[in-house]
Each structure stands twice: as C-alpha cells, then as structure tokens.
Amino acid sequence: MYGIDTDAPGASTGAVDLRSDTLTRPTAAMRAAMAEAEVGDDVYREDPTVHALEERVAELFGHEAALFVPSGTMGNQIGLRLVCEPGQEVLGDADAHVLTYEMGAAAALFGLSSRTVVSDGGRLSADQLIAQVRPHGDWHLTATAAIAVENTHNRGGGLVQPLGELERLFEWSRTAGVNVHLDGARVFNAHVASGVPLSTYGRLADTASVCLSKGLGAPIGSVLVAGAERVAAARLWRKRLGGGMRQVGVLAAAGLYALDHHLERLAEDHEHARLLAERLGVDPATVETNMVVVDDVPAPAVAEAAKAQGVLVGQVSARRVRLVTHLDVDRAGVEHAAKVLTQVIGDLAGR
Ligand SMILES: Cc1ncc(COP(=O)(O)O)c(C=O)c1O
C-alpha cells in the first residue's frame, strides 16, 4: 500500500516515525497549557482562547480575521468556496493537496469545477498558471475564479515556493479578477526556511488555510484567514459542515502554545532532514524544509525492512519513499534512521 501505513506501530512503541509530521503527540507542557485553558461555547462565540488564537493568527498573516477549523482540509475547502462560486473553476497544480488528497470535496460539496497544470515537481510558475486562466463572461467557457497555491508543497517534497512567483501571480490576479487561495498547511516551515515574513505570505493570498497540527505539533486544528466579510461567511460554512465546535479553547490553547514554542524550532527539523539526505546520498538541493524524498528504490520493500528495525517511512509510489522530520524525532532518532536506511537501501537498491 502506498501512502498511509495504518498497521505501523508508531512512535508509541519507540519507533522513529518519519511517515509524516502529523504524527506528533502533544508535549507535557502543551498538555498543561490545554488543561489550563479558559473556555466557553465557541458556537456562541464565547470561547476566549479561540478568540485569542484567531486574533493572533489573523495578525501574523496580516489579515482582518481568522476562523479556527478542525482540519486543513476544512480550512482549504471553505477557503476555496469563499473565492469560487458553484460552476466556476479553481485552477491548481496537478499535485496540489486540495485537488489530490481532499476527496474531491470542492466538487462533491460545493459544485466547484477544477483544472490542473502539471508543474515542475510542485514548483509554482505564475506564467504557467496565468496562461491557463479562462475569463469571466464568456458563455463558452468555465470561468476561472480562483488559483490554489501550496507552500510548502507536500508532493513537491516540502519545497518552498519562490517568492517572486507568488508576487507575480498575486499582482496579476488583481488585474484579472481572480482570487488566490493559499494552502499553507506548512507555511510555517516555508517562513522558517526562507525568512520571508508570515505577513508577506498572507498578503499574497485572498484566503489562506494554515495548520497547527503539522510541524507545529498541535494535536488538531487549522486556521483560515481572510478579510472580515469572508470570515463571517466562512463561519456559516463551517457550521453547515458540522464544524461548529463548543469548548474548544482546550484545542486552541495547544495552537497558541505551539506558536509560542514550536515555530522557530522548525529549523531543527530542517537541519535533521538535510542530515538524513546527506547520509542517504540524496541531493541536498532537493531538501528545502522537513521532507526528504528518496527515488528509485523499491518502496514497499524498503518500508518493510526499515520497519523491522524500528524506522517508519512513507511510501509515495512504488519507487519513491518519503521521510518527514518533526518534533518527535530527535537527533538520536535521525542518526538511527540514517544508519538503518543506509543499510536497507544499500541492500535493496544496491547503493
Ligand atoms: C499540503 C497539505 N494541505 C492540507 C492538508 C490537510 O490537512 P488535514 O489533514 O488537517 O485535513 C495536508 C495534510 O497533510 C497537507 O499536507
């Protein structure tokens, strides 16, 4: 099976779990912050900790408002719905998470059409997307209402989108009446790797979904940021989707804790990923953040053999393995994984 190995023993058994950065467990200090959180009914808009999180994230990204949602998928899909009407299209990269891994939600839930361009390994090219945009008001054509960008790019191996391309796309979109949605599940990694302020990434999108439950290490939660009117509409969509939540200050507290304590440390994950790449002979230029992609290996056999030695890896395809570093993998874990994987890949792929 490629993708998620649900039979894997996981970190609870002491394995070095490199399948994904979603696998982190809340630290003792994060759990303490959760336990102490002041709460209220957030559907009544009476949860002060949720308010604090929403205000904090809106400000970080330079937007008027924000909405706490249970998942990145919900943040993305509501974000897309805000900038695209039923019967209009979202344009994105063929490997974009919003169009690859979100169960066709834009079509299934909202009647949004989608079209894709095949990018160079996930790297954003403004010109490539702009060339495919279809105008409004032409009765032959499905109008392109929104362009989805992803930063960092998951299937692109954690690559950071070039700032110049993001700027060019956004500037052009202002003149063309097209909106830009950012899937910023790992925009915090992009920020730490590139030094580009979060507010700059925020300014270059009309709607953005950012995740607390990836590298930041919170157990759940994403935040959708946008203008105030759009966020008011998003609140209705969240409720329609069953995402109205009650005393979830306990979860928002984990997000606030993560922003305070786990943001700058992402640099450590990036360093660990570079170290793994070096040891495994992967071109370091392909490792921009916390993911290492190892190509041309028998992925199921590598995963199986590594698992037997307590190292879990993700299988992206039959010949591609992915390693993701995160909060629950320390330097010793990285060293152990490098040793095991060097031997396993050497045995199975002859290198
Ligand atoms: C790039 C990207 N966007 C969105 C998501 C969706 O997040 P969630 O699993 O919280 O729905 C993920 C999940 O891994 C992701 O990698």
Side-chain angles (χ1 to χ4, degrees):
M1 186 186 81
Y2 307 126
I4 300 167
D5 181 355
T6 48
D7 291 333
S12 56
T13 60
V16 180
D17 200 339
L18 297 169
R19 291 172 299 162
S20 173
D21 51 9
T22 58
L23 290 152
T24 56
R25 291 149 306 156
T27 62
M30 182 182 277
R31 286 169 194 255
M34 295 169 76
E36 284 159 19
E38 215 184 311
V39 298
D41 188 327
D42 185 51
V43 174
Y44 282 70
R45 306 188 66 173
E46 290 176 5
D47 190 305
T49 311
V50 172
H51 285 175
L53 175 68
E54 290 174 344
E55 271 169 32
R56 172 102 177 260
V57 177
E59 197 183 326
L60 279 176
F61 287 90
H63 275 264
E64 286 174 344
L67 186 73
F68 186 44
V69 291
S71 69
T73 300
M74 192 184 284
N76 277 334
Q77 294 302 325
I78 294 177
L80 291 178
R81 179 60 187 86
L82 296 177
V83 291
C84 191
E85 292 298 315
Q88 297 181 327
E89 78 178 8
V90 176
L91 182 65
D93 160 36
D95 277 323
H97 195 284
V98 292
L99 301 173
T100 305
Y101 292 124
E102 298 187 7
M103 309 295 127
L109 301 176
F110 300 139
L112 308 186
S113 187
S114 60
R115 202 151 45 89
T116 56
V117 298
V118 176
S119 65
D120 175 16
R123 195 167 299 275
L124 178 73
S125 156
D127 283 344
Q128 189 190 25
L129 287 162
I130 291 167
Q132 293 302 321
V133 167
R134 290 176 174 155
H136 292 252
D138 181 321
W139 45 267
H140 285 297
L141 295 171
T142 306
T144 310
I147 297 177
V149 303
E150 186 172 319
N151 195 17
T152 65
H153 197 290
N154 181 336
R155 284 178 65 86
L159 73 80
V160 179
Q161 298 297 2
L163 183 59
E165 294 298 309
L166 289 167
E167 282 173 338
R168 177 159 155 54
L169 181 68
F170 192 72
E171 274 161 29
W172 174 86
S173 72
R174 299 308 89 179
T175 63
V178 173
N179 291 297
V180 174
H181 171 76
L182 167 65
D183 176 355
R186 294 186 182 79
V187 73
F188 298 105
N189 295 83
H191 156 67
V192 167
S194 66
V196 173
L198 292 172
S199 58
T200 300
Y201 286 137
R203 174 171 66 71
L204 299 174
D206 296 285
T207 51
S209 172
V210 305
C211 289
L212 305 164
S213 59
K214 309 289 183 302
L216 290 184
I220 182 172
S222 295
V223 182
L224 176 64
V225 298
E229 237 175 85
R230 284 198 170 117
V231 169
R235 196 173 288 282
L236 305 185
W237 280 113
R238 185 184 68 173
K239 189 70 165 60
R240 283 189 188 113
L241 294 170
M245 302 180 287
R246 303 297 178 174
Q247 289 74 15
V248 283
V250 286
L251 304 181
L256 283 166
Y257 181 91
L259 288 168
D260 284 337
H261 300 278
H262 295 168
L263 178 52
E264 297 310 326
R265 68 149 303 285
L266 291 172
E268 209 176 293
D269 297 342
H270 300 171
E271 192 194 319
H272 286 162
R274 277 194 301 273
L275 184 74
L276 272 174
E278 259 169 44
R279 297 282 172 81
L280 298 176
V282 171
D283 179 0
T286 64
V287 181
E288 297 187 37
T289 55
N290 66 332
M291 297 186 186
V292 182
V293 172
V294 188
D295 271 320
D296 296 326
V297 293
V302 167
E304 192 62 30
K307 183 169 156 182
Q309 297 191 61
V311 177
L312 307 178
V313 303
Q315 300 174 55
V316 181
S317 70
R319 301 285 300 165
R320 174 175 287 187
V321 157
R322 187 186 75 165
L323 319 171
V324 186
T325 54
H326 54 76
L327 185 61
D328 284 359
V329 179
D330 61 11
R331 178 74 178 224
V334 170
E335 297 283 357
H336 177 63
K339 206 168 116 202
V340 167
L341 289 168
T342 304
Q343 176 242 308
V344 163
I345 290 171
D347 288 352
L348 293 168
R351 58 176 212 247

